Amino acid sequence: MQRRDFVKLVFGAFTLAFILPKNALAAIWNKAAFETTQLNEAEKNLEVNGEKLSQDILITVPDKAENGAIVQVEVKSNILNTETISIFVEKNPTPLIAHFKFSNGAEPFVVTRIKMAETSDVKVVVKAGNEYFMNAKNVVVLENGCG
Amino acid sequence: MASDNMKMRAQLKGDVTEVKVLMSHPMETGRKKDDFDRLIPAHFVQLVTATLNGKTVLEAQWGTGISKNPYLTFRLSGAKTGDTIEVTWHDNLGETATQNITVT
């Protein structure tokens, strides 16, 4: 093997092993949507449009949270062909909390614990086919959990 | 990475498997200050993926608004006792952890 070919091969292997996975991860994480301080910007970056209010999105949150550092949120979508569930807290410094994508038999259901800076609506957006649906529930927060 | 990084349970109830995951992670927002008034750099999980017998079932992107030591429950239809569920997270500093569990 020529020396230059060997060098190319080694560089190629390094590129594949280290650079690609990082880029792949960066490509998956929607930086613009997660880092914006505006709810509508976050939604725009997730390509949400024409969202309709739907009572088929069930949001279970406490009415009042003593400590905003841990607020348990349960979301269940009864909308047929739900593909993604996004959770926003309108008044958090960065409103987009999480974006879940379901496939291969995963039910459109999640429970997680989130941080809330102040009393705010917890807004959930569901994508089903090319349509978007939303629902929201207010949580009264007594102590800022965003530190 | 250390396997005690994640605690998992997967239980078949009727025809739905409920998977509960508790991760050990600081989830720093980058806005908090330490005792010396210096900003603590952001350190948070950005990506969580779950597979059932190697097939992707859940892909989650997270921001800094998920609580410290993240908790997650999800449900799968079509999983059977003995199936393998694997969960992996990646954070913004390039750290990662993987854990798997058998459905009971």
Side-chain angles (χ1 to χ4, degrees), chain A residues 25 28-30 34 69 93 97-107 109-115 147, chain B residues 27 29 31-32 44 46-47 55-67 71-73 75-77 90:
Chain A
L25 177 59
I28 292 167
W29 196 65
N30 194 329
F34 278 101
I97 305 291
H99 179 73
F100 297 92
K101 186 177 167 199
F102 306 91
S103 51
N104 295 315
E107 309 250 308
F109 170 90
V110 282
V111 184
T112 191
R113 293 172 187 154
I114 67 171
K115 297 172 194 164
Chain B
M27 297 302 287
T29 60
R31 282 185 293 273
K32 207 161 81 183
F44 61 102
Q46 287 182 310
L47 202 65
K55 251 175 137 178
T56 301
V57 284
L58 180 72
E59 283 173 281
Q61 296 178 48
W62 285 357
T64 55
I66 296 286
S67 301
Y71 174 79
L72 175 68
T73 300
R75 289 176 180 167
L76 307 175
S77 59
H90 295 269

Side-chain angles (χ1 to χ4, degrees), chain B residues 11-71:
Chain B
Q11 265 182 321
L12 185 64
K13 293 174 183 169
D15 46 10
V16 172
T17 302
E18 188 160 80
V19 186
K20 293 185 177 181
V21 189
L22 190 61
M23 304 165 199
S24 171
H25 201 281
M27 297 302 287
E28 289 293 350
T29 60
R31 282 185 293 273
K32 207 161 81 183
K33 284 181 176 168
D34 66 11
D35 294 342
F36 304 99
D37 217 34
R38 294 174 302 208
L39 273 179
I40 302 169
H43 186 199
F44 61 102
V45 172
Q46 287 182 310
L47 202 65
V48 180
T49 55
T51 60
L52 169 65
N53 298 329
K55 251 175 137 178
T56 301
V57 284
L58 180 72
E59 283 173 281
Q61 296 178 48
W62 285 357
T64 55
I66 296 286
S67 301
K68 181 181 172 177
N69 297 329
Y71 174 79

Side-chain angles (χ1 to χ4, degrees), chain A:
Chain A
M1 191 187 283
Q2 293 267 325
R3 192 180 139 165
R4 74 182 63 165
D5 287 338
F6 177 75
V7 169
K8 265 189 208 161
L9 198 71
V10 169
F11 267 97
F14 264 94
T15 312
L16 279 178
F18 296 102
I19 297 169
L20 278 182
K22 264 196 175 163
N23 283 348
L25 177 59
I28 292 167
W29 196 65
N30 194 329
K31 187 176 160 76
F34 278 101
E35 289 186 349
T36 177
T37 56
Q38 302 297 319
L39 177 68
N40 56 2
E41 278 292 313
E43 290 194 35
K44 210 167 82 187
N45 284 307
L46 284 175
E47 289 165 10
V48 176
N49 64 70
E51 64 210 82
K52 296 187 207 90
L53 182 68
S54 170
Q55 299 307 325
D56 289 325
I57 302 170
L58 309 175
I59 307 171
T60 311
V61 286
D63 295 330
K64 200 190 263 182
E66 289 279 341
N67 179 0
I70 304 173
V71 182
Q72 183 152 319
V73 178
E74 178 183 313
V75 179
K76 185 176 191 290
S77 168
N78 289 328
I79 297 165
L80 206 67
N81 300 324
T82 294
E83 293 161 29
T84 68
I85 290 178
S86 311
I87 301 172
F88 303 86
V89 174
E90 205 179 325
K91 290 186 179 161
N92 266 18
T94 51
L96 178 57
I97 305 291
H99 179 73
F100 297 92
K101 186 177 167 199
F102 306 91
S103 51
N104 295 315
E107 309 250 308
F109 170 90
V110 282
V111 184
T112 191
R113 293 172 187 154
I114 67 171
K115 297 172 194 164
M116 292 185 69
E118 58 182 297
T119 298
S120 168
D121 269 1
V122 173
K123 180 176 179 180
V124 173
V125 174
V126 163
K127 178 180 191 275
N130 290 320
E131 284 190 288
Y132 290 89
F133 302 90
M134 63 79 63
N135 203 352
K137 245 188 180 174
N138 193 263
V139 178
V140 174
V141 175
L142 302 178
E143 193 189 323
N144 177 348
C146 276

